[in-house]
Amino acid sequence: MFQPTYPVRTARLVLRPVTIDDLDDVYAFQRRPDVVRWMLGAEPRTREQSRVSVLAMAGEDAWRAEGDCLTVAVVTDAGVIGIVELVWRSQLDRTAELGFVFHPDHGGRGLATEAATALLDWGFTEFGLHRVYGRCHGRNTASARLMARLGMRQEARHVESYLFKGEWADQLVFAILANEWWAGTRTPPS
């Protein structure tokens, strides 16, 4: 089993496993149309749908096997403001996929970047990932900007690669390698 040492603390945030007590905070952003706008198959959630979602995320506190999702709540004094996750995509290739969702009321202050950086640091340092990638809808400029701020490069634009709400949509793929991560402002482990 692989998991961060909880809680993970940054300058302004605490990252920890999701609990059922987070339901009100998670529902506050999962019910918003502007939050689920670019998510495939997602619609604003009812409170009961958010409860099911929170219960599922509460079980995603560690990687036990390839394919597992590690999901952490991003917490400030205001409560849970977002979720960041790493999905273990390949043990052999040491690859994971980054995902994130944040309440828009907390945008514009670098909190999503700070949270994702902390989880990526764990993945590259503690787990020894070689590569992390992320995907987003071609018109989801906020997610694309966040991945670029993390030092991820755009590797692909898959033109009209999937049906999204009845229309063909482009998908952007961003990625970063461990050596690129360490070449940034981070210090590699000794």
Side-chain angles (χ1 to χ4, degrees), residues 36-43 45 135 137 162-167 169 171:
V36 300
R37 177 181 181 191
W38 301 115
M39 295 178 179
L40 184 61
E43 296 294 329
R45 290 189 173 152
R135 300 174 290 168
H137 188 288
Y162 69 109
L163 278 173
F164 181 79
K165 298 182 181 179
E167 296 180 5
Q171 183 179 71

Side-chain angles (χ1 to χ4, degrees), residues 97-127:
E97 181 175 3
L98 176 67
F100 44 83
V101 60
F102 282 83
H103 195 298
D105 290 354
H106 300 281
R109 297 188 312 237
L111 297 172
T113 304
E114 188 173 323
T117 296
L119 197 56
L120 288 173
D121 268 333
W122 172 82
F124 285 121
T125 304
E126 301 299 322
F127 189 73

Side-chain angles (χ1 to χ4, degrees), residues 1-6 17 60-64 70 122 126-127:
M1 181 171 74
F2 303 96
Q3 68 182 160
T5 302
Y6 295 117
E60 298 173 339
D61 62 342
W63 282 346
R64 293 165 181 86
L70 173 68
W122 172 82
E126 301 299 322
F127 189 73

Side-chain angles (χ1 to χ4, degrees), residues 146-157:
L146 172 55
M147 288 185 278
R149 279 194 307 274
L150 292 167
M152 300 173 86
R153 75 185 117 38
Q154 185 177 327
E155 288 189 333
R157 178 182 202 98

Side-chain angles (χ1 to χ4, degrees), residues 1-10 13-19 22 57-64 68-75 83-86 115 118-119 122-123 126:
M1 181 171 74
F2 303 96
Q3 68 182 160
T5 302
Y6 295 117
V8 175
R9 296 183 187 281
T10 70
L13 305 169
V14 173
L15 279 62
R16 57 153 175 81
V18 176
T19 71
D22 299 327
M57 289 187 289
E60 298 173 339
D61 62 342
W63 282 346
R64 293 165 181 86
D68 282 355
C69 184
L70 173 68
T71 304
V72 294
V74 180
V75 184
I83 301 293
V84 180
E85 65 182 22
L86 276 178
L119 197 56
W122 172 82
E126 301 299 322

